[in-house]
Amino acid sequence: MKSRSFTRFAFWIILTIPLLAADTNTGTSSGGDIDWVQMIFAGSYLLGVFVLLPVVVFTNMKEGLFHPEESGQSSSEVVKHMSEEERNDISIEILEKIGEKLTPFKSEEGEDMITITKGSQARFMKYGLDYINKKLKPTDPEIIDRVKEFEEVYEDRAQRAFTGSNWIIGCSIGVGVLMLMTAGITTFIFIHILGLVFYVLSSRTTMYGIEKRLKYFGSGGGMLGRILSSLFLGEGTKYYVKHGGGPWKRDWETEGQMAIFGLIIMIFVALVLGFFATFLGVINFFINYSTSFLNPMQNEEKWYMQNFGPKPIT
């Protein structure tokens, strides 16, 4: 009897959690109190999907360097009014400015070198190298070699790797499937999918960002995975009971109750993570993109005018 009532209560909780999560009117009151959970939930979808997702997509598409030999660029894009010597001189000026922006360090052999350690450096280098390759096309072999060295530094340090949680992705997909089964195809389903896409893209971290994270926080990034693994896989705890002077016997009833209770916690955590994947994506954006995202309204010509003064460009 005890086990049957506990089971009914557990399944009532399981069926109630999705309704509580989907209830957008919960927590409002006549006194004008703010429902912070609802505000975070709705605000993260609005900000993440409709504002930050386009920025992240644009950055991922345009973050690579411009290579004339791969783009089929015509010679008409090169600055025409400048002589070859002037174009080489401006290329040197830009390369020197890039070098001043980068972070110095010593190699294992004790050699002085420079590298990218933050987003503003990567963005400055990207615009500088693109301007040289698009508009100047230097001819001096030493300048060309220096450009190639900087290109290698940029492509090595600015490449991104996914550092998010596969658990969160799985939970978010599960929430989407649950909503599809309970509510059918709705507008929110598509917004939720875009929110998941945003989480995945915003979780792509640059190599210098990963290096900085390891330096300050160590390799603790898998903590969420370890916690969720213990919830999803369980600890395999066994319970035994002894009646009077009889032998110890396996307490299947308690083990069943604990398994159901663990299932409730697992579903609750999965729902929370699934619904708040977009919110976590917003956090990831500020960690991974706040200093390195590319402005769609900016280009290498505007960048040059802002950093090197007005010079006629055709």
Side-chain angles (χ1 to χ4, degrees), residues 233-253:
L233 300 179
E235 298 297 336
T237 304
K238 296 179 176 60
Y239 294 85
Y240 293 86
V241 65
K242 183 177 182 180
H243 297 285
W248 287 94
K249 294 183 179 180
R250 191 81 171 267
D251 189 355
W252 296 104
E253 180 179 348

Side-chain angles (χ1 to χ4, degrees), residues 54-97:
V55 175
V56 171
V57 170
F58 179 82
T59 299
N60 277 268
M61 290 176 59
K62 300 295 185 179
E63 211 166 26
L65 293 175
F66 175 85
H67 294 287
E69 63 277 6
E70 298 175 4
S71 65
Q73 178 195 31
S74 64
S75 59
S76 62
E77 295 183 59
V78 180
V79 177
K80 290 298 187 181
H81 68 279
M82 292 183 184
S83 65
E84 181 178 311
E85 182 180 357
E86 288 175 322
R87 288 190 279 114
N88 285 337
D89 289 342
I90 293 177
S91 297
I92 292 174
E93 183 182 6
I94 293 175
L95 292 172
E96 288 178 348
K97 191 72 172 180

Side-chain angles (χ1 to χ4, degrees), residues 82-134:
M82 292 183 184
S83 65
E84 181 178 311
E85 182 180 357
E86 288 175 322
R87 288 190 279 114
N88 285 337
D89 289 342
I90 293 177
S91 297
I92 292 174
E93 183 182 6
I94 293 175
L95 292 172
E96 288 178 348
K97 191 72 172 180
I98 292 174
E100 293 172 3
K101 293 280 187 180
L102 299 184
T103 301
F105 74 100
K106 285 190 177 295
S107 66
E108 295 180 355
E109 294 76 21
E111 184 180 357
D112 292 327
M113 303 185 72
I114 50 179
T115 190
I116 298 172
T117 57
K118 52 187 179 181
S120 58
Q121 295 171 336
R123 186 163 50 189
F124 192 91
M125 178 180 265
K126 185 252 186 318
Y127 283 127
L129 294 175
D130 280 356
Y131 186 82
I132 292 173
N133 286 327
K134 280 186 179 182

Side-chain angles (χ1 to χ4, degrees), residues 157-196:
R157 301 290 288 169
Q159 65 175 314
R160 294 183 182 270
F162 177 74
T163 57
S165 170
N166 292 326
W167 286 108
I168 293 175
I169 295 175
C171 292
S172 185
I173 293 174
V175 166
V177 172
L178 178 63
M179 290 190 295
L180 189 62
M181 294 172 60
T182 56
I185 298 177
T186 62
T187 302
F188 183 71
I189 288 289
F190 296 100
I191 296 176
H192 181 75
I193 292 172
L194 291 175
L196 177 57

Side-chain angles (χ1 to χ4, degrees), residues 14-28:
I14 291 173
L15 294 174
T16 302
I17 288 174
L19 298 177
L20 291 175
D23 185 5
T24 57
N25 295 318
T26 302
T28 56

